Amino acid sequence: MVWQRELKAGVRNVLPSAAGLLAVGEQSLVFAVDGTPLASLDGQAMWLESGNLLVIGAAGVSGRQLATGVEVPLGQPGVTGYCSWNTTMLTCPTQDGIGVYRYAR
């Protein structure tokens, strides 16, 4: 074993990427490959690209860049389950059409 962490919050999933490991729960945690804590996120998160995360929490949806620590609030998209993304934008269906949200530059 290389490293191990005890987490107090319930973890629903662990997702790897080149940037590290994402432990997904009500509060999501990101660890570097060597086990160093990188971020604590208020909500359930998912990797969009290595180093960029989408966070869905009580305050709405936001994009988080690990390299800069910048979190960009995206508001409350009506639907988050059928979205697509690239390295800078999230696109989701809405009641009125399509919503495009920029989370990184």
Side-chain angles (χ1 to χ4, degrees):
M1 177 181 315
V2 177
W3 59 271
Q4 181 176 339
R5 292 271 187 246
E6 181 178 334
L7 304 176
K8 297 186 190 289
V11 174
R12 295 192 177 100
N13 205 352
V14 177
L15 305 169
S17 94
L21 297 173
L22 170 63
V24 181
E26 292 302 317
Q27 180 179 20
S28 298
L29 303 166
V30 183
F31 298 95
V33 177
D34 67 1
T36 305
L38 295 177
S40 177
L41 309 166
D42 189 23
Q44 296 183 36
M46 64 181 264
W47 292 113
L48 294 176
E49 298 284 335
S50 183
N52 290 326
L53 298 137
L54 181 67
V55 183
I56 301 169
V61 178
S62 61
R64 172 73 177 249
Q65 298 175 63
L66 283 180
T68 63
V70 172
E71 190 158 333
V72 179
L74 303 177
Q76 299 275 359
V79 178
T80 56
Y82 301 99
C83 300
S84 61
W85 56 86
N86 63 23
T87 57
T88 61
M89 293 184 292
L90 172 72
T91 304
C92 299
T94 67
Q95 291 179 338
D96 301 322
I98 297 171
V100 179
Y101 307 89
R102 181 178 299 278
Y103 63 85
R105 299 230 180 256

